[in-house]
């Protein structure tokens, strides 16, 4: 069964929208959360290819409850469509081995589901955004959780705001590992610090999995931080959206479980 889907994921800083027509992701758009109150035109444009699809679904995932409510209302007002909420209405198709009562963000579970849906083997999923998460999925498709740290921009902001003399620095790849001035030293510390954190965690996770897992990276800073890095097997910018498509497809195949 082909799926037709308008997928919306509300992140910490940005909202990403993806249009799937007959299983294919044909368009994506990113809207800053500060402008999410004016999401109507983007919703109309992104839904247009689905207008003649009677089975089209609007699905929403979120790590921002307040913004999620705003988006839900706009979908109803602008598109006149019911919103299907990830986890509330459709479970994300990934096993979980977590402490009782643990709540994990929709984005982390969707990333894990999308990666395992394609790879069908142990993998580490890195999401480099506002925060950076490094999560383990084992060979049976079970999400074990992982590590959460401050993302690149959060590191830069903290260094500026929590010290007396360090300047505000634009996020860029450092020119070389040794910073010969303060700005480049800060860039080097953040860039290689995050890369080193991920490498250390992947190596530790490999011991748990008894195999070196495939490393998949997504998130707004994925390309800047990890492009060309020998540790990383692939960078998938739309991994979370693909996880939403996998969720809908699994529910369509197993309607009794959804």
């Amino acid at each position: 069964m082909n799926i037709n889907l308008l997928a919306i994921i509300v992140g910490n800083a940005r909202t990403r929208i993806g249009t799937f027509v007959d299983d294919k992701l044909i368009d994506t758009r990113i809207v800053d959360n500060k402008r999410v109150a004016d999401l109507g035109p983007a919703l109309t444009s992104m839904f247009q290819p689905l207008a003649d699809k009677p089975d089209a679904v609007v699905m929403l995932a979120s790590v921002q409850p307040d913004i999620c409510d705003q988006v839900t209302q706009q979908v109803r007002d602008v598109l006149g469509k019911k919103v299907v909420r990830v986890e509330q209405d459709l479970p994300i198709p990934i096993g979980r081995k977590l402490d009782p009562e643990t709540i994990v963000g929709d984005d982390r579970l969707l990333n894990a589901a999308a990666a395992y849906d394609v790879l069908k083997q142990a993998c580490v999923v890195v999401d480099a955004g506002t925060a950076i998460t490094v999560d383990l999925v084992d060979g049976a498709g079970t999400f074990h959780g992982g590590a959460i740290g401050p993302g690149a921009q959060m590191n830069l902001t903290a260094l500026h705001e929590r010290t007396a003399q360090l300047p505000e620095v634009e996020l860029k790849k450092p020119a070389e590992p040794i910073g010969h001035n303060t700005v480049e030293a800060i860039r080097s510390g953040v860039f290689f610090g995050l890369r080193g954190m991920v490498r250390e965690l992947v190596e530790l996770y490999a011991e748990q999995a008894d195999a070196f897992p495939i490393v998949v990276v997504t998130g707004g800073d994925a390309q800047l931080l990890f492009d060309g890095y020998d540790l990383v097997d692939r960078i998938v910018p739309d991994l979370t959206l693909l996880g939403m498509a996998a969720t809908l497809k699994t529910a369509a195949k197993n309607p009794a479980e959804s």
Side-chain angles (χ1 to χ4, degrees), residues 179-219:
H180 297 285
N181 57 66
T182 302
V183 169
E184 283 300 311
I186 290 171
R187 285 185 178 138
S188 183
V190 170
F191 181 86
F192 291 105
L194 290 174
R195 279 189 168 200
M197 179 191 77
V198 171
R199 181 177 289 276
E200 176 81 3
L201 288 166
V202 169
E203 291 176 353
L204 291 170
Y205 293 174
E207 296 176 7
Q208 297 276 340
D210 292 325
F212 205 87
I214 290 176
V215 179
V216 180
V217 182
T218 191

Side-chain angles (χ1 to χ4, degrees), residues 94 111-125 135-144 209 211-216 233-234:
I94 191 76
N111 287 337
Y116 189 78
D117 182 58
V118 173
L119 299 172
K120 295 292 191 279
Q121 60 181 292
C123 56
V124 171
V125 182
D135 292 320
L136 174 67
V137 181
D138 69 21
T142 301
F143 175 87
H144 286 256
F212 205 87
I214 290 176
V215 179
V216 180
D233 294 279
R234 61 190 72 178

Side-chain angles (χ1 to χ4, degrees), residues 149-169:
Q153 187 58 58
M154 193 180 296
N155 273 294
L156 292 173
T157 300
L159 285 170
H160 170 59
E161 292 183 352
R162 304 290 291 182
T163 62
Q165 298 187 39
L166 294 183
E168 188 172 2
V169 175

Side-chain angles (χ1 to χ4, degrees), residues 5 16-17 22 33-34 36 42 45 48 50 59 65 75-76 105 113 125 143 156 161 198 207 218 229 242 254:
L5 169 67
R16 184 182 290 268
I17 309 171
D22 296 330
N33 281 352
K34 295 176 183 177
V36 79
S45 173
Q48 187 59 41
L50 299 168
M59 183 183 295
V75 170
R76 291 171 180 162
V125 182
F143 175 87
L156 292 173
E161 292 183 352
V198 171
E207 296 176 7
T218 191
Y229 194 30
L242 296 172
N254 307 290

